Amino acid sequence: MFTPEGEVWYNIPEFNLLANNITVPGFSPLFPDAHCTSNGEICQLNTGEAEINAATTVSALWLSDKFDLTSTYLFITGVAGVNPNVATIAGVAFARYAVQVGLQYEVDPRELPANFSSGYFPLGTSASDDYPVNLYGTEVFELNDALRKEVVQYAKKATLNDSDAAIAYRANYPQEAARAAPSVVECDVATADVWYSGKILSDTFSNTTRIWTNGTGVYCATAQEDNGTLEALVRGAKAGKVDYSRVILMRTFSDFDQPYDNEQTLFNLRYANQGGVLPAINNIYLVGIKVAQGILAGWDSKFKQGIKPTNYVGDIFGSLGGDIKPDFGPGEAVIAGFRRRDIASAPFRRTPVTRARIIND
Protein backbone atom coordinates (compact mmCIF):
# COMPACT_ATOMS: atom_id res chain seq x y z
CA MET A 1 0.00 0.00 0.00
CA PHE A 2 2.93 2.35 0.63
CA THR A 3 6.62 2.56 -0.25
CA PRO A 4 8.32 0.25 2.32
CA GLU A 5 5.72 -2.49 1.76
CA GLY A 6 6.52 -2.40 -1.95
CA GLU A 7 10.27 -2.00 -1.76
CA VAL A 8 10.70 -5.13 0.37
CA TRP A 9 10.05 -7.11 -2.84
CA TYR A 10 12.80 -5.39 -4.86
CA ASN A 11 16.35 -6.73 -5.24
CA ILE A 12 15.45 -10.16 -3.91
CA PRO A 13 17.24 -13.31 -5.14
CA GLU A 14 14.16 -15.21 -6.30
CA PHE A 15 13.01 -12.92 -9.13
CA ASN A 16 13.33 -9.37 -10.44
CA LEU A 17 10.10 -7.38 -10.22
CA LEU A 18 11.76 -4.33 -11.75
CA ALA A 19 12.55 -6.03 -15.06
CA ASN A 20 9.40 -4.69 -16.69
CA ASN A 21 7.76 -1.51 -15.40
CA ILE A 22 4.35 -0.71 -16.88
CA THR A 23 2.66 2.65 -16.42
CA VAL A 24 -1.09 2.16 -15.93
CA PRO A 25 -3.59 5.02 -16.34
CA GLY A 26 -5.62 5.42 -13.17
CA PHE A 27 -2.95 4.19 -10.77
CA SER A 28 -1.91 6.35 -7.84
CA PRO A 29 0.20 9.37 -8.83
CA LEU A 30 2.64 8.24 -6.15
CA PHE A 31 2.82 4.70 -7.59
CA PRO A 32 1.99 4.96 -11.32
CA ASP A 33 3.60 1.68 -12.40
CA ALA A 34 3.04 -2.03 -12.13
CA HIS A 35 6.34 -3.89 -11.69
CA CYS A 36 6.71 -7.27 -13.39
CA THR A 37 9.25 -9.99 -14.00
CA SER A 38 10.62 -10.20 -17.53
CA ASN A 39 8.25 -13.05 -18.44
CA GLY A 40 5.24 -11.36 -16.85
CA GLU A 41 4.69 -14.31 -14.53
CA ILE A 42 4.63 -12.16 -11.39
CA CYS A 43 3.63 -8.50 -11.10
CA GLN A 44 3.31 -6.10 -8.20
CA LEU A 45 1.60 -2.76 -7.59
CA ASN A 46 1.21 -0.29 -4.74
CA THR A 47 -2.34 0.96 -4.33
CA GLY A 48 -1.64 3.97 -2.14
CA GLU A 49 -3.06 4.17 1.37
CA ALA A 50 -6.70 4.13 2.55
CA GLU A 51 -9.85 2.83 0.93
CA ILE A 52 -10.31 5.37 -1.88
CA ASN A 53 -6.77 4.93 -3.18
CA ALA A 54 -7.06 1.15 -2.96
CA ALA A 55 -10.41 0.95 -4.75
CA THR A 56 -9.36 3.39 -7.48
CA THR A 57 -6.04 1.71 -8.21
CA VAL A 58 -7.43 -1.83 -8.26
CA SER A 59 -10.31 -0.74 -10.49
CA ALA A 60 -7.78 0.80 -12.88
CA LEU A 61 -5.89 -2.50 -12.85
CA TRP A 62 -8.72 -4.71 -14.07
CA LEU A 63 -9.99 -2.04 -16.46
CA SER A 64 -6.57 -1.85 -18.13
CA ASP A 65 -6.00 -3.66 -21.41
CA LYS A 66 -2.40 -4.35 -20.37
CA PHE A 67 -3.24 -7.38 -18.22
CA ASP A 68 -5.26 -10.58 -18.39
CA LEU A 69 -6.27 -11.31 -14.79
CA THR A 70 -8.79 -14.07 -15.40
CA SER A 71 -6.53 -16.78 -13.98
CA THR A 72 -4.33 -14.56 -11.79
CA TYR A 73 -3.91 -15.08 -8.06
CA LEU A 74 -4.31 -11.66 -6.45
CA PHE A 75 -2.21 -11.53 -3.29
CA ILE A 76 -3.03 -8.54 -1.07
CA THR A 77 -0.32 -7.78 1.50
CA GLY A 78 0.48 -4.98 3.94
CA VAL A 79 1.27 -4.18 7.55
CA ALA A 80 -1.48 -3.80 10.15
CA GLY A 81 -2.23 -3.22 13.78
CA VAL A 82 -2.96 -6.30 15.88
CA ASN A 83 -5.45 -7.19 18.58
CA PRO A 84 -3.36 -8.55 21.52
CA ASN A 85 -6.17 -10.92 22.49
CA VAL A 86 -5.57 -12.85 19.25
CA ALA A 87 -1.98 -12.40 18.05
CA THR A 88 1.20 -10.38 18.46
CA ILE A 89 3.48 -7.87 16.75
CA ALA A 90 5.68 -9.29 13.99
CA GLY A 91 3.10 -12.03 13.46
CA VAL A 92 1.23 -12.70 10.21
CA ALA A 93 -2.48 -13.21 9.51
CA PHE A 94 -4.36 -14.69 6.58
CA ALA A 95 -7.96 -13.50 6.52
CA ARG A 96 -11.24 -15.06 5.47
CA TYR A 97 -13.26 -11.91 6.17
CA ALA A 98 -12.67 -8.19 5.75
CA VAL A 99 -15.17 -6.07 7.70
CA GLN A 100 -15.67 -2.35 7.08
CA VAL A 101 -16.03 -1.41 10.72
CA GLY A 102 -15.94 2.32 10.01
CA LEU A 103 -19.21 2.14 8.06
CA GLN A 104 -21.38 3.00 11.08
CA TYR A 105 -22.91 5.88 12.97
CA GLU A 106 -20.41 7.65 15.18
CA VAL A 107 -21.16 9.96 18.10
CA ASP A 108 -18.51 11.37 20.40
CA PRO A 109 -18.87 9.10 23.46
CA ARG A 110 -18.77 12.15 25.73
CA GLU A 111 -22.16 13.06 24.27
CA LEU A 112 -23.78 9.62 24.67
CA PRO A 113 -25.76 8.12 27.54
CA ALA A 114 -23.76 6.19 30.11
CA ASN A 115 -25.12 2.83 28.92
CA PHE A 116 -23.33 3.06 25.53
CA SER A 117 -20.10 1.08 25.41
CA SER A 118 -18.67 3.14 22.52
CA GLY A 119 -19.58 5.86 20.06
CA TYR A 120 -20.04 3.43 17.15
CA PHE A 121 -23.26 1.61 16.27
CA PRO A 122 -24.50 0.15 12.95
CA LEU A 123 -26.43 2.21 10.43
CA GLY A 124 -30.18 2.19 10.98
CA THR A 125 -29.84 0.96 14.58
CA SER A 126 -29.49 2.43 18.04
CA ALA A 127 -27.17 -0.14 19.67
CA SER A 128 -23.76 -1.59 18.91
CA ASP A 129 -25.00 -5.19 19.21
CA ASP A 130 -27.55 -4.83 16.40
CA TYR A 131 -27.03 -5.98 12.81
CA PRO A 132 -26.88 -3.10 10.29
CA VAL A 133 -30.25 -2.12 8.90
CA ASN A 134 -29.00 0.09 6.07
CA LEU A 135 -26.66 -1.91 3.81
CA TYR A 136 -24.27 -0.31 1.34
CA GLY A 137 -22.78 -3.57 0.09
CA THR A 138 -19.19 -3.17 1.27
CA GLU A 139 -19.72 -4.09 4.93
CA VAL A 140 -18.29 -7.63 4.69
CA PHE A 141 -16.31 -9.57 2.11
CA GLU A 142 -15.58 -13.28 2.39
CA LEU A 143 -12.64 -15.01 0.68
CA ASN A 144 -11.94 -18.57 -0.40
CA ASP A 145 -11.17 -20.42 2.82
CA ALA A 146 -9.87 -23.53 1.04
CA LEU A 147 -7.32 -21.36 -0.77
CA ARG A 148 -6.43 -19.64 2.49
CA LYS A 149 -5.72 -22.94 4.21
CA GLU A 150 -3.65 -24.12 1.23
CA VAL A 151 -1.36 -21.08 1.20
CA VAL A 152 -1.07 -20.97 5.00
CA GLN A 153 0.76 -24.31 4.71
CA TYR A 154 3.41 -22.58 2.59
CA ALA A 155 3.45 -19.50 4.81
CA LYS A 156 4.23 -21.54 7.90
CA LYS A 157 7.47 -22.71 6.30
CA ALA A 158 8.89 -19.20 6.69
CA THR A 159 11.13 -18.13 9.55
CA LEU A 160 9.62 -14.90 10.80
CA ASN A 161 11.66 -11.80 11.50
CA ASP A 162 11.48 -10.31 15.01
CA SER A 163 13.35 -7.64 16.99
CA ASP A 164 14.69 -7.20 20.50
CA ALA A 165 12.43 -4.17 20.95
CA ALA A 166 9.36 -6.18 19.93
CA ILE A 167 10.29 -9.01 22.30
CA ALA A 168 10.63 -6.54 25.17
CA TYR A 169 7.45 -4.64 24.34
CA ARG A 170 5.14 -7.65 23.96
CA ALA A 171 6.28 -8.87 27.40
CA ASN A 172 4.30 -5.96 28.91
CA TYR A 173 0.98 -7.50 27.85
CA PRO A 174 -0.85 -10.01 30.06
CA GLN A 175 -2.56 -11.80 27.15
CA GLU A 176 -0.94 -15.09 26.21
CA ALA A 177 -1.42 -14.37 22.49
CA ALA A 178 0.34 -11.03 22.79
CA ARG A 179 3.31 -12.44 24.74
CA ALA A 180 3.88 -15.37 22.38
CA ALA A 181 6.51 -15.47 19.66
CA PRO A 182 5.25 -14.25 16.27
CA SER A 183 3.56 -16.87 14.12
CA VAL A 184 1.24 -17.32 11.15
CA VAL A 185 -2.42 -17.25 12.18
CA GLU A 186 -5.85 -17.34 10.54
CA CYS A 187 -8.03 -14.42 11.60
CA ASP A 188 -9.77 -11.44 10.11
CA VAL A 189 -9.29 -7.81 9.11
CA ALA A 190 -11.16 -4.70 10.26
CA THR A 191 -11.04 -1.91 7.67
CA ALA A 192 -11.37 1.78 8.55
CA ASP A 193 -9.81 4.92 7.12
CA VAL A 194 -9.44 6.15 10.69
CA TRP A 195 -6.20 4.94 12.31
CA TYR A 196 -7.65 4.08 15.70
CA SER A 197 -6.20 2.90 18.99
CA GLY A 198 -7.47 1.85 22.40
CA LYS A 199 -9.18 -1.03 24.15
CA ILE A 200 -12.67 0.44 23.80
CA LEU A 201 -12.44 0.73 20.02
CA SER A 202 -10.68 -2.62 19.70
CA ASP A 203 -13.42 -4.34 21.69
CA THR A 204 -16.08 -2.48 19.72
CA PHE A 205 -14.72 -3.56 16.35
CA SER A 206 -14.10 -7.08 17.57
CA ASN A 207 -17.79 -7.18 18.43
CA THR A 208 -18.68 -5.65 15.04
CA THR A 209 -16.66 -8.32 13.24
CA ARG A 210 -18.33 -11.10 15.21
CA ILE A 211 -21.86 -9.82 14.67
CA TRP A 212 -21.51 -8.86 10.99
CA THR A 213 -20.08 -12.30 10.12
CA ASN A 214 -22.76 -14.11 12.12
CA GLY A 215 -20.27 -15.25 14.73
CA THR A 216 -17.66 -16.67 12.35
CA GLY A 217 -15.15 -13.85 12.04
CA VAL A 218 -12.36 -13.17 14.54
CA TYR A 219 -10.94 -9.65 14.48
CA CYS A 220 -7.17 -9.52 14.75
CA ALA A 221 -5.89 -6.99 12.19
CA THR A 222 -6.49 -3.29 11.58
CA ALA A 223 -6.16 -1.95 8.05
CA GLN A 224 -7.16 1.03 5.90
CA GLU A 225 -7.52 -0.50 2.44
CA ASP A 226 -8.91 -4.01 2.24
CA ASN A 227 -12.64 -3.44 1.78
CA GLY A 228 -11.90 -0.88 -0.93
CA THR A 229 -9.64 -3.36 -2.68
CA LEU A 230 -12.14 -6.20 -2.38
CA GLU A 231 -15.09 -4.14 -3.61
CA ALA A 232 -13.09 -3.26 -6.72
CA LEU A 233 -12.28 -6.94 -7.25
CA VAL A 234 -15.92 -8.00 -6.83
CA ARG A 235 -16.86 -5.53 -9.55
CA GLY A 236 -14.04 -6.85 -11.70
CA ALA A 237 -15.29 -10.40 -11.14
CA LYS A 238 -18.84 -9.40 -12.15
CA ALA A 239 -17.36 -7.95 -15.34
CA GLY A 240 -15.57 -11.24 -16.08
CA LYS A 241 -12.12 -9.71 -15.64
CA VAL A 242 -11.09 -11.32 -12.32
CA ASP A 243 -11.57 -14.66 -10.58
CA TYR A 244 -12.55 -13.59 -7.07
CA SER A 245 -11.98 -17.10 -5.70
CA ARG A 246 -8.25 -16.51 -6.35
CA VAL A 247 -7.87 -13.59 -3.93
CA ILE A 248 -5.56 -13.98 -0.91
CA LEU A 249 -5.39 -11.45 1.94
CA MET A 250 -2.36 -11.34 4.23
CA ARG A 251 -1.49 -8.79 6.89
CA THR A 252 1.68 -8.57 8.99
CA PHE A 253 1.55 -6.97 12.43
CA SER A 254 3.48 -3.77 13.09
CA ASP A 255 1.86 -2.52 16.31
CA PHE A 256 -0.71 -3.36 18.97
CA ASP A 257 -4.11 -1.72 18.55
CA GLN A 258 -4.35 -0.94 22.26
CA PRO A 259 -2.01 -0.25 25.20
CA TYR A 260 -1.04 -2.66 27.94
CA ASP A 261 -2.24 -2.04 31.51
CA ASN A 262 -1.13 1.35 32.88
CA GLU A 263 0.11 2.55 29.49
CA GLN A 264 -1.67 5.58 28.04
CA THR A 265 -3.49 4.99 24.76
CA LEU A 266 -2.00 8.09 23.16
CA PHE A 267 1.50 6.99 24.13
CA ASN A 268 0.85 3.53 22.67
CA LEU A 269 -0.36 5.04 19.40
CA ARG A 270 2.20 7.77 18.83
CA TYR A 271 5.30 7.33 20.96
CA ALA A 272 5.87 3.76 22.15
CA ASN A 273 8.81 1.90 20.64
CA GLN A 274 6.92 -1.29 19.90
CA GLY A 275 9.65 -2.63 17.63
CA GLY A 276 7.22 -4.24 15.20
CA VAL A 277 7.36 -2.08 12.08
CA LEU A 278 10.57 -3.37 10.49
CA PRO A 279 9.85 -7.05 11.29
CA ALA A 280 6.34 -6.64 9.88
CA ILE A 281 7.69 -5.18 6.64
CA ASN A 282 10.35 -7.88 6.37
CA ASN A 283 7.76 -10.58 7.00
CA ILE A 284 5.72 -9.43 4.02
CA TYR A 285 8.57 -10.76 1.90
CA LEU A 286 9.66 -13.68 4.09
CA VAL A 287 6.16 -15.14 4.22
CA GLY A 288 4.93 -13.83 0.89
CA ILE A 289 7.76 -15.46 -1.05
CA LYS A 290 6.79 -18.86 0.35
CA VAL A 291 3.24 -18.34 -0.90
CA ALA A 292 4.41 -17.19 -4.33
CA GLN A 293 6.81 -20.10 -4.68
CA GLY A 294 4.13 -22.56 -3.56
CA ILE A 295 1.69 -21.33 -6.19
CA LEU A 296 4.29 -21.39 -8.94
CA ALA A 297 5.53 -24.87 -7.99
CA GLY A 298 2.00 -26.24 -7.87
CA TRP A 299 0.65 -24.39 -10.88
CA ASP A 300 0.11 -27.30 -13.26
CA SER A 301 -1.02 -29.77 -10.61
CA LYS A 302 -3.26 -27.55 -8.52
CA PHE A 303 -3.42 -23.82 -9.02
CA LYS A 304 -3.96 -23.49 -12.76
CA GLN A 305 -7.46 -24.93 -12.47
CA GLY A 306 -8.08 -23.08 -9.21
CA ILE A 307 -8.85 -24.10 -5.63
CA LYS A 308 -12.60 -24.70 -5.47
CA PRO A 309 -14.22 -22.81 -2.60
CA THR A 310 -16.07 -24.82 0.01
CA ASN A 311 -17.53 -21.63 1.53
CA TYR A 312 -19.34 -18.63 0.13
CA VAL A 313 -17.07 -16.05 -1.53
CA GLY A 314 -18.09 -12.49 -2.30
CA ASP A 315 -19.82 -9.47 -0.81
CA ILE A 316 -22.75 -9.08 1.55
CA PHE A 317 -25.18 -8.80 -1.39
CA GLY A 318 -24.25 -12.16 -2.90
CA SER A 319 -23.35 -10.24 -6.06
CA LEU A 320 -21.25 -13.02 -7.58
CA GLY A 321 -23.95 -15.69 -7.25
CA GLY A 322 -22.85 -19.31 -7.08
CA ASP A 323 -24.17 -22.47 -5.48
CA ILE A 324 -23.11 -21.50 -1.96
CA LYS A 325 -25.20 -18.73 -0.43
CA PRO A 326 -23.78 -16.03 1.87
CA ASP A 327 -23.25 -17.27 5.42
CA PHE A 328 -23.44 -13.74 6.81
CA GLY A 329 -25.72 -10.77 6.28
CA PRO A 330 -29.51 -10.57 6.23
CA GLY A 331 -30.01 -13.24 3.58
CA GLU A 332 -30.45 -13.21 -0.18
CA ALA A 333 -34.26 -13.13 -0.07
CA VAL A 334 -34.23 -10.03 2.12
CA ILE A 335 -31.70 -8.27 -0.10
CA ALA A 336 -33.57 -9.18 -3.28
CA GLY A 337 -36.75 -7.79 -1.77
CA PHE A 338 -35.14 -4.47 -1.04
CA ARG A 339 -33.55 -4.34 -4.48
CA ARG A 340 -37.00 -4.54 -5.96
CA ARG A 341 -38.35 -1.79 -3.75
CA ASP A 342 -38.72 1.74 -4.99
CA ILE A 343 -36.25 3.74 -2.93
CA ALA A 344 -38.75 6.57 -2.65
CA SER A 345 -41.10 4.30 -0.73
CA ALA A 346 -38.42 3.03 1.66
CA PRO A 347 -38.27 4.40 5.20
CA PHE A 348 -36.02 7.40 5.79
CA ARG A 349 -32.51 6.17 6.57
CA ARG A 350 -32.58 7.31 10.20
CA THR A 351 -35.92 5.61 10.88
CA PRO A 352 -35.49 2.25 12.68
CA VAL A 353 -36.80 -0.67 10.63
CA THR A 354 -36.69 -4.38 11.26
CA ARG A 355 -35.04 -5.55 8.06
CA ALA A 356 -32.00 -4.52 6.05
CA ARG A 357 -32.53 -2.29 3.07
CA ILE A 358 -30.41 -0.95 0.25
CA ILE A 359 -29.35 2.67 0.10
CA ASN A 360 -28.81 3.80 -3.49
CA ASP A 361 -27.15 7.14 -2.82
Side-chain angles (χ1 to χ4, degrees):
M1 286 68 178
F2 71 114
T3 300
E5 294 169 323
E7 289 182 342
V8 75
W9 288 101
Y10 306 153
N11 303 311
I12 62 174
E14 292 84 1
F15 45 76
N16 179 14
L17 279 175
L18 300 178
N20 189 10
N21 302 299
I22 304 168
T23 300
V24 181
F27 273 20
S28 165
L30 296 177
F31 309 106
D33 297 336
H35 306 291
C36 301
T37 56
S38 57
N39 62 3
E41 197 170 54
I42 301 174
C43 293
Q44 178 228 39
L45 64 88
N46 281 359
T47 63
E49 295 172 272
E51 291 179 83
I52 292 174
N53 279 322
T56 304
T57 295
V58 174
S59 295
L61 173 68
W62 68 257
L63 286 166
S64 172
D65 61 3
K66 300 177 185 293
F67 305 96
D68 178 357
L69 304 174
T70 53
S71 61
T72 298
Y73 284 85
L74 297 144
F75 189 16
I76 305 164
T77 67
V79 301
V82 59
N83 177 359
N85 297 299
V86 181
T88 194
I89 47 178
V92 180
F94 285 80
R96 175 175 173 177
Y97 295 101
V99 180
Q100 194 177 19
V101 297
L103 194 57
Q104 304 192 61
Y105 294 135
E106 181 187 6
V107 177
D108 190 308
R110 292 168 294 186
E111 298 178 295
L112 284 169
N115 63 331
F116 275 73
S117 58
S118 86
Y120 281 89
F121 46 102
L123 298 176
T125 77
S126 299
S128 60
D129 286 339
D130 289 338
Y131 205 92
V133 170
N134 300 339
L135 296 178
Y136 291 11
T138 58
E139 288 84 356
V140 182
F141 295 93
E142 186 170 359
L143 300 176
N144 184 346
D145 196 43
L147 174 60
R148 175 175 71 151
K149 293 186 183 306
E150 183 69 32
V151 300
V152 162
Q153 296 180 63
Y154 310 139
K156 288 185 174 181
K157 297 177 182 178
T159 300
L160 300 185
N161 191 218
D162 202 358
S163 72
D164 291 340
I167 292 169
Y169 191 78
R170 67 170 68 97
N172 293 304
Y173 285 79
Q175 298 96 322
E176 183 178 347
R179 297 170 64 90
S183 63
V184 175
V185 296
E186 298 177 35
C187 50
D188 302 303
V189 177
T191 301
D193 281 331
V194 174
W195 190 314
Y196 60 86
S197 182
K199 185 179 188 307
I200 292 173
L201 288 175
S202 179
D203 289 348
T204 296
F205 295 146
S206 180
N207 188 53
T208 299
T209 300
R210 179 182 58 81
I211 292 172
W212 291 13
T213 61
N214 288 356
T216 308
V218 177
Y219 157 66
C220 68
T222 73
Q224 293 182 296
E225 295 84 16
D226 295 337
N227 284 59
T229 298
L230 294 173
E231 173 63 16
L233 291 175
V234 164
R235 297 189 187 194
K238 282 184 65 66
K241 300 288 189 178
V242 170
D243 183 349
Y244 186 82
S245 71
R246 298 184 181 219
V247 178
I248 304 163
L249 174 54
M250 180 186 86
R251 286 283 177 171
T252 62
F253 300 135
S254 58
D255 58 285
F256 286 115
D257 73 348
Q258 61 189 273
Y260 55 83
D261 294 343
N262 299 319
E263 183 187 38
Q264 292 184 345
T265 298
L266 181 60
F267 185 83
N268 167 265
L269 175 65
R270 295 291 294 126
Y271 307 114
N273 178 21
Q274 300 195 31
V277 174
L278 289 179
I281 290 170
N282 290 333
N283 286 335
I284 291 175
Y285 160 67
L286 292 171
V287 176
I289 193 65
K290 297 297 185 183
V291 173
Q293 289 174 326
I295 292 173
L296 290 173
W299 184 259
D300 289 332
S301 62
K302 184 176 299 184
F303 289 98
K304 183 177 181 180
Q305 64 267 32
I307 305 296
K308 186 177 180 179
T310 56
N311 62 298
Y312 169 76
V313 296
D315 63 3
I316 201 168
F317 286 167
S319 299
L320 301 181
D323 297 331
I324 305 175
K325 303 305 179 185
D327 46 7
F328 59 88
E332 184 179 37
V334 174
I335 291 174
F338 285 113
R339 280 183 177 151
R340 289 193 294 269
R341 292 181 63 181
D342 178 2
I343 193 66
S345 68
F348 183 64
R349 71 166 29 164
R350 290 187 183 273
T351 302
V353 295
T354 58
R355 296 166 66 191
R357 62 190 177 89
I358 308 305
I359 300 298
N360 294 317
D361 288 350

